[in-house]
Amino acid sequence: MTVDNKGEPNRIPRSLARAAALPRSSGLALDWEAFDWRGWLKRNLACEIEQRRLFPWLAVCFGLGIILFFRAERPALWAPLGAFAVLTAAAVWLRHNLLMLSVCVGLAAVFAGFSAGVIRTRSIAAPVLTRTVIAPISGFIEAVEDREEGKRILLRVSSLQGVSEAERPLIVRASIRNGDHLSAGQFIAGTVRLLPPPQPAWPGGYNFARDAYYRGIGAVGSFTGAVRQLEPPSAPDWSLWLAARVDEARNTLTQRIAVSIGGAAGGVGAALVTGKRGLISERTNDVLRAAGIYHIVSISGLHMVLAAGTFFWLVRASLALSPNLALRWPVKKIAAVTAIAGATAYCVFSGSDVATERSLIMTLVMFGAALVDRPALSIRNLSIAALIVLAREPEALLGPSFQMSFGAVAAMMTLVPLMQWRRAEVGSAMLIDKVLSWAGRSAFGLVTTTLVASLATAPFAAYHFQSLNSYGLIGNALALPLVSLVVMPAAVLGVLAYPFGLDAPIWNVMGIAVAKVLDISAWVGSFSGSTVVVPALGVGALVLLSVGLLVLTIPASHLRWFALVPAGAGLAFAATQHRYDIYVDRDGAGAAIRNGLRELTLVGKPSDFVVEQWLRADGDGRSSDDASLRQAARCDRLGCVVETGAQRATAFVQEFSAFEDDCRRAAIIITRLDAPSNCGAPVVLDRKALAERGATAIRLTPESAEVQSVKKGREVLPWTAVAKASLPPAQERPRSARPVPEQDLPEDEISTGELD
C-alpha cells in the first residue's frame, strides 16, 4: 500500500508492484503448466464427466462386441451372457470407484453387443439353399417390385419339389419377365431356377449372402416359364396379410405418381414417396451417382427428417394461428407427437426397409427428447438411437447405411456449430437486409453441413463402393434445397390429398422440382472426373479412420485432438495399401490377373457383376465389356496364360490336357476342373479348393503369395522354385499364343447379387 500526495492510501495490486520491481523478461516466457500432462488430462476428463460424454462410449463398446461376434466361429450364448452378468454385478459392487465402474460398464457393454449378435442370429435362423435347383415351386407373394424388365417378387415358400422341408428356404427372391397379373398376397405356382445367395465376389467385398440371411431370404433366382395363380391351401397369417396389403397400396401409389409426373422424374418421385426404386432406369441412377446425390432415392435419414419436420411444422404453425391455443396448450409437444405418428406411418408405408427403420428410430429419439424438454440434437441422443438400432439389428453395424448415416450426423453435430456464420446483432434492419442475411446463413449452413457430411462418409464410401464424387458438394448444394423445400413437403401433402383424389396437381409440382434435380445432376455429372474410382480401402485403414471420427465427435474437451493420431495413421494406410494381384471367381468360371503392365487382365467368363466388383476393388474405371481387359492374355482352346512379372505366370486351365504343361511351368493354376494330385505349381486353385475357399484373391511378393479367401481367411504360401515357375517365350510354347476373346465356358448366370 502507498500514500498519494493528499495523504490518502493508494492500494496497488501486488502483481503490479511485483512487475514494477522486477526486471522485464525477454518475452519468451514458457507456460510450464502446459507441460503438466497429468493435470491437463485430469482437467479434460473432468470436463468429459461434467458434460456426460462417457455415455456415448457405451454404444461404441456395444458395437465392438458385435464386431467380435462376427469374427467368432459358432459362439455359445451362455459365455457372453455370463460375462455380462458378472461385469454388471462388479459394476454395482464398485460403483463408488469411478474408474473401475467405467471399466466394468464398458466391458459389460462389449459382452452385451456380443450377446445381441448371438441372439439375433439364432432368432432368425432359417434354411439356406446350398445347391442349384430347378423345380416346381408354390407359395404366397409377399412383395412385388416393378423392374425395367418384368418384376421381382418375394415368395413365401409353401412347397419346393425335390427339396426336403429341412432344406427348403422360407423366402426366396425371384424375377419374372411377364408378371403384370401378379400382386402381393396371391398364391402362385411355377417352375423356378434357384441358387444359393451369392457370397462376396472377393474377400472384403459386398456380402449379399449375409444380408440375405438376415432378411430371411434363403435363395435367389428366376421363373423359367408361366406362373399360375392358384387357390391357396390355407388362409395367410396376419403378418403376410398385412405385408401384402401394404405392398399393394405402395404399388398402386407408385404407379399413380409415376403416371402423373411421367418420364424419368416420375420414377424418382415415386421412389421418394413409396421407396419403390424399380421404375428408375439405370441411366438415371448413373446420373444421380455421378452428381453425388443418389442418396435421395433411398429413403433414409434425410427423407425421414424432412417428412417428420413437415408434419411438425404444419401442426405447430396451424395451432399457433390461435393465440388462445398457443398460450394455453403445449403446442410444441403436440406437434412432436404428430411428427412421431407421421414418421412412423411414413416408415411403414415406404416398406419398412432396414435403412428406413434406423432413420425412424433416430427421429423418434430426437422428438422423444423434445417431449421431455431435453435437447433434441445431441451426441447422447444419437448414442441412444445407435444402441436401439444395434440391439434390434446387430448386422447393421457392418453395412454402409448405418456407418454413413450415424457418422455423418455425429460429425455435423460436432463440427457444424464450430463453423456457423455468426453475424453481429444490429438494432434495426430493413426487410431486404434480413432476407439477404437469412439467405446467406442458409446457403452457408447448407455448404458446411454438406462438406462435413461428405468428409465424414468418404472413408465408408471408399471401402464399400470404391468411388468418390469429386463434385458431390456442388450437386448437394444445388439439389438439396429443392428436395427440402419443394419435393418432400409436396410428397407429404400429396399423400394426404391422395385419398380425396386431389393429389394430381401436387404430384405435378413435385415432378417439376424432381426434373430440375435431375437436370442439376446431369450438369454436375458431366464435369470431367465427377466420379473417381479408388482402390478398395483396407480394413485396417477403415478402422483407424473410424476411430479418428469417434474420437473427434464424442469428446467435448481438448481430448478430441487425439483424433489426429488414428486419422493420420488411417490416411497413411490408405495411401500405401497393397492391392490384390489376382481375383478368382468362387467356382473358377474366370479370373482377373495383374499383367506385366500392372493392369488387370480378364480370363474365362465370370459374370459382368463379378467383373465390375473386381475392377472397382482395384480402382480400375474400365467397364466389364472393355476390350482392353483381354488383350494381355495368351489364350487357346485349352486355356489362357498371363505373365505376372518376376518370371512368374498364371495359367487358367479349361481342358484337362493342359495340366501337364501348365503344372510344370506356371506358378499359379486356376481352373474349375479337378487338378491332378501331382501338379507341381506352388498355388493350385481347382474345383475342390474353390468349393472350400469360395472367391479368392492373391497378393504376390517376390518371396510369397498371400492367399485370401472368403471362407477360409488369410494364408501365406512361400514360393518354391520360383525360377522353375517361369514360362518359355511365347514362340517356344507348344500351344497357340494368339489372343482369343471368347472362351469355351458356359455363361455364369449369377447376376442376382446386385446392390440393393
Side-chain angles (χ1 to χ4, degrees), residues 310-658:
T310 301
F311 282 112
F312 181 83
W313 183 86
L314 286 175
V315 173
R316 190 174 186 182
S318 300
L319 294 177
L321 293 176
S322 171
N324 187 34
L325 292 178
L327 294 174
R328 297 177 179 272
W329 288 35
V331 173
K332 181 179 178 181
K333 294 184 178 181
I334 294 174
V337 171
T338 305
I340 289 174
T344 303
Y346 181 44
C347 177
V348 172
F349 191 75
S350 62
S352 299
D353 192 43
V354 176
T356 313
E357 290 181 355
R358 288 196 289 269
S359 304
L360 174 65
I361 291 173
M362 293 177 63
T363 304
L364 295 184
V365 170
M366 302 304 174
F367 281 106
L371 289 176
V372 295
D373 299 318
R374 302 297 297 271
L377 295 175
S378 68
I379 293 294
R380 183 182 180 88
N381 289 344
L382 187 65
S383 304
I384 294 174
L387 283 170
I388 296 174
V389 169
L390 294 178
R392 292 183 67 252
E393 300 163 347
E395 71 278 5
L397 181 64
L398 305 181
S401 178
F402 177 91
Q403 296 169 6
M404 297 179 76
S405 59
F406 278 88
V409 174
M412 287 189 290
M413 286 183 179
T414 302
L415 299 179
V416 170
L418 303 178
M419 304 169 65
Q420 284 182 344
W421 178 11
R422 293 178 175 85
R423 178 177 177 272
E425 294 294 332
V426 181
S428 60
M430 298 180 63
L431 178 60
I432 185 63
D433 294 332
K434 294 181 179 180
V435 171
L436 292 176
S437 177
W438 173 85
R441 288 196 303 269
S442 300
F444 185 77
L446 179 61
V447 171
T448 54
T449 53
T450 303
L451 177 62
V452 169
S454 299
L455 292 176
T457 58
F460 306 113
Y463 179 80
H464 291 285
F465 308 118
Q466 297 85 52
S467 64
L468 297 174
N469 300 112
S470 307
Y471 306 108
L473 179 62
I474 300 175
N476 282 274
L478 296 177
L480 288 186
L482 285 171
V483 176
S484 304
L485 300 177
V486 181
V487 175
M488 291 309 299
V492 173
L493 295 176
V495 171
L496 295 176
Y498 173 63
F500 301 95
L502 303 174
D503 55 322
I506 301 176
W507 302 135
N508 292 332
V509 173
M510 187 178 80
I512 295 173
V514 172
K516 293 298 181 183
V517 170
L518 294 179
D519 291 340
I520 292 171
S521 302
W523 178 66
V524 175
S526 65
F527 297 169
S528 177
S530 58
T531 300
V532 179
V533 180
V534 297
L537 202 65
V539 175
L542 179 68
V543 169
L544 288 170
L545 291 172
S546 300
V547 171
L549 181 62
L550 291 171
V551 177
L552 177 66
T553 56
I554 293 180
S557 64
H558 294 296
L559 291 175
R560 64 179 51 168
W561 286 104
F562 282 114
L564 295 175
V565 177
L571 291 175
F573 271 58
T576 59
Q577 60 183 327
H578 186 189
R579 293 178 291 176
Y580 288 114
D581 294 296
I582 300 174
Y583 296 90
V584 184
D585 194 25
R586 57 184 168 270
D587 60 357
I593 305 166
R594 196 175 307 283
N595 56 40
L597 299 177
R598 309 303 299 162
E599 293 181 343
L600 290 181
T601 296
L602 192 64
V603 295
K605 280 194 174 182
S607 69
D608 290 342
F609 173 77
V610 171
V611 175
E612 293 287 351
Q613 296 296 299
W614 291 341
L615 293 175
R616 281 187 167 273
D618 196 60
D620 194 328
R622 291 177 292 179
S623 61
S624 59
D625 58 353
D626 194 315
S628 64
L629 284 171
R630 296 185 181 272
Q631 289 179 353
R634 300 186 303 180
C635 301
D636 59 21
R637 64 181 183 83
L638 302 180
C640 297
V641 173
V642 178
E643 300 284 354
T644 56
Q647 292 187 329
R648 286 197 298 261
T650 299
F652 179 77
V653 179
Q654 294 181 253
E655 296 290 342
F656 195 84
S657 58

Side-chain angles (χ1 to χ4, degrees), residues 241-264:
W241 178 87
L242 180 61
R245 298 286 77 76
V246 171
D247 188 73
E248 186 177 0
R250 292 174 64 202
N251 285 329
T252 302
L253 183 56
T254 298
Q255 290 294 332
R256 169 73 171 175
I257 298 173
V259 172
S260 298
I261 298 176

Side-chain angles (χ1 to χ4, degrees), residues 273-286:
V273 179
T274 66
K276 296 278 189 176
R277 302 199 298 263
L279 296 179
I280 304 177
S281 66
E282 192 58 34
R283 181 179 177 277
T284 303
N285 286 330
D286 291 339

